[in-house]
Amino acid sequence: MEHQKPIATPSRTKEILNKYGFSFKKSLGQNFMIDSNILEKLVTNAGVTAQSGVIEIGPGIGALTEQLAKQAKEVLAFEIDQRLLPVLEDTLSPYSNVSVIHQDILKTDVTHFIKEQFPDQEVKVVANLPYYITTPILMKLLMDQLPITDITVLIQKEVAERMSARPNTKEYGSLSIAVQYYTEAKVVMNVPKSAFMPQPNVDSSVLQLKMRKEAPVYVENETFFFELVQASFGQRRKTLMNNLGRHFKGQMSKDEISAILEKVQIDGQRRGESLSIEEFASLANGLYTYVNE
């Protein structure tokens, strides 16, 4: 069977879709990859080896799964669309190292599966994620603090840029800080619309997130830290002082906020996008200590 054309070609994809009378569901953000060169590069960028255990989310008809199966020790793929299960069983039949789980990744205890399936090997997440739900999926994977080494995902270019953005850029925001608190983020390649069927309306990028052993900054309370970061970007055109004043209304006066800003040596006239993660941490710790005194 190895001589068969890769799944990720326009003709083979059409053939599989026709065979199963498959129609794309807009609600599931289904865009299948039809360029096997790009998928091979993605797998190489992810550093998948014969020792790797890989978790894939949304395998579709198995285009990326097939490339992963060729390189990895074992692949565990989570697919929410029941209609795809018989398709995957067929397309992935040459590979004995793939398991497909019919579950919604957002409701899944992924740690449990990792412990069960990959008890003593390095685990990576590699996926072509549906655009409409990229951020909730990635934030769940990060906040669950899975025992994985890294995440390499094909996502909407704009979201990849926001997740890897640096201070003082228009892409930089609360999402950048949330992602970079848990990982080191970088965009490794861009992918044209023409590589998908059906073609999405947006360009895509491959984003790589390497899990940090420990957070880059110390925070007194993570929930409070992330809330503060979000509040600081509440209205992007407004100053830090304005955004914080709104957020803490009824809890703290502007004078109190001003005193804490002065204490941690941050100018309240700056905008949220100019603060580094270190500055957000010291501001959050100062405010948290004050609020909880």
Side-chain angles (χ1 to χ4, degrees):
M1 274 246 355
E2 281 299 307
H3 66 274
Q4 249 187 340
K5 262 202 295 208
I7 295 167
T9 56
S11 59
R12 180 108 193 268
T13 298
K14 279 187 189 132
E15 188 188 305
I16 293 165
L17 297 177
N18 292 340
K19 178 175 173 182
Y20 286 90
F22 184 85
S23 55
F24 293 94
K25 260 194 189 165
K26 261 222 162 89
S27 66
L28 293 176
Q30 289 168 329
N31 300 90
F32 296 159
M33 202 37 160
I34 51 171
D35 186 329
S36 57
N37 291 331
I38 289 176
L39 290 180
E40 283 172 23
K41 275 190 198 151
L42 194 161
V43 175
T44 305
N45 272 315
V48 176
T49 70
Q51 279 74 52
S52 307
V54 177
I55 288 174
E56 187 191 3
I57 297 154
I61 59 171
L64 173 58
T65 326
E66 172 181 59
Q67 301 297 337
L68 289 167
K70 287 177 179 174
Q71 303 298 334
K73 183 175 182 183
E74 206 176 334
V75 182
L76 186 61
F78 291 90
E79 178 52 64
I80 193 172
D81 188 349
Q82 197 164 358
R83 303 172 305 153
L84 287 165
L85 303 182
V87 185
L88 287 162
E89 201 171 312
D90 177 10
T91 58
L92 300 172
S93 59
Y95 307 99
S96 58
N97 59 342
V98 178
S99 320
V100 177
I101 312 274
H102 178 220
Q103 276 194 26
D104 176 349
I105 197 73
L106 290 175
K107 298 177 183 152
T108 301
D109 179 355
V110 186
T111 304
H112 162 78
F113 277 101
I114 291 175
K115 284 180 179 155
E116 204 168 76
Q117 210 85 9
F118 310 116
D120 48 8
Q121 67 203 94
E122 61 149 35
V123 180
K124 299 170 173 291
V125 173
V126 186
N128 167 18
L129 290 179
Y131 292 153
Y132 77 104
I133 203 168
T134 297
T135 302
I137 289 176
L138 287 175
M139 288 318 297
K140 174 191 157 61
L141 298 179
L142 298 179
M143 293 178 86
D144 285 357
Q145 301 193 329
L146 304 176
I148 57 178
T149 55
D150 47 70
I151 299 174
T152 306
V153 283
L154 182 52
I155 60 175
Q156 188 177 333
K157 186 175 184 214
E158 185 195 328
V159 178
E161 284 170 351
R162 279 168 52 208
M163 288 183 170
S164 58
R166 297 283 172 257
N168 292 311
T169 60
K170 71 177 197 309
E171 291 78 26
Y172 184 70
S174 55
L175 184 60
S176 323
I177 291 166
V179 169
Q180 291 168 38
Y181 179 80
Y182 294 108
T183 72
E184 289 175 51
K186 67 170 184 182
V187 173
V188 288
M189 62 192 241
N190 294 321
V191 176
K193 299 172 192 174
S194 57
F196 297 92
M197 178 189 295
Q199 279 196 28
N201 305 323
V202 294
D203 288 316
S204 304
S205 294
V206 173
L207 175 76
Q208 187 157 57
L209 305 173
K210 287 200 186 295
M211 309 309 289
R212 294 182 186 275
K213 296 257 190 296
E214 54 186 57
V217 287
Y218 167 74
V219 295
E220 294 281 348
N221 180 295
E222 282 187 6
T223 311
F224 184 87
F225 169 72
F226 289 125
E227 274 172 15
L228 169 90
V229 169
Q230 256 179 320
S232 305
F233 288 98
Q235 290 179 294
R236 285 189 78 98
R237 312 301 318 148
K238 299 247 161 127
T239 64
L240 199 54
M241 190 63 221
N242 270 330
N243 277 326
L244 295 179
R246 277 187 56 185
H247 181 70
F248 289 106
K249 205 173 181 176
Q251 261 187 295
M252 295 170 84
S253 70
K254 287 209 163 179
D255 287 347
E256 290 168 313
I257 295 170
S258 204
I260 290 163
L261 281 164
E262 205 166 302
K263 194 176 165 190
V264 296
Q265 298 179 328
I266 293 171
D267 180 355
Q269 293 311 300
R270 287 168 65 184
R271 289 193 181 138
E273 68 211 51
S274 75
L275 270 69
S276 66
I277 192 166
E278 290 76 15
E279 290 178 305
F280 273 118
S282 66
L283 177 57
N285 292 343
L287 288 163
Y288 184 76
T289 307
Y290 186 87
V291 168
N292 288 280
E293 261 171 4

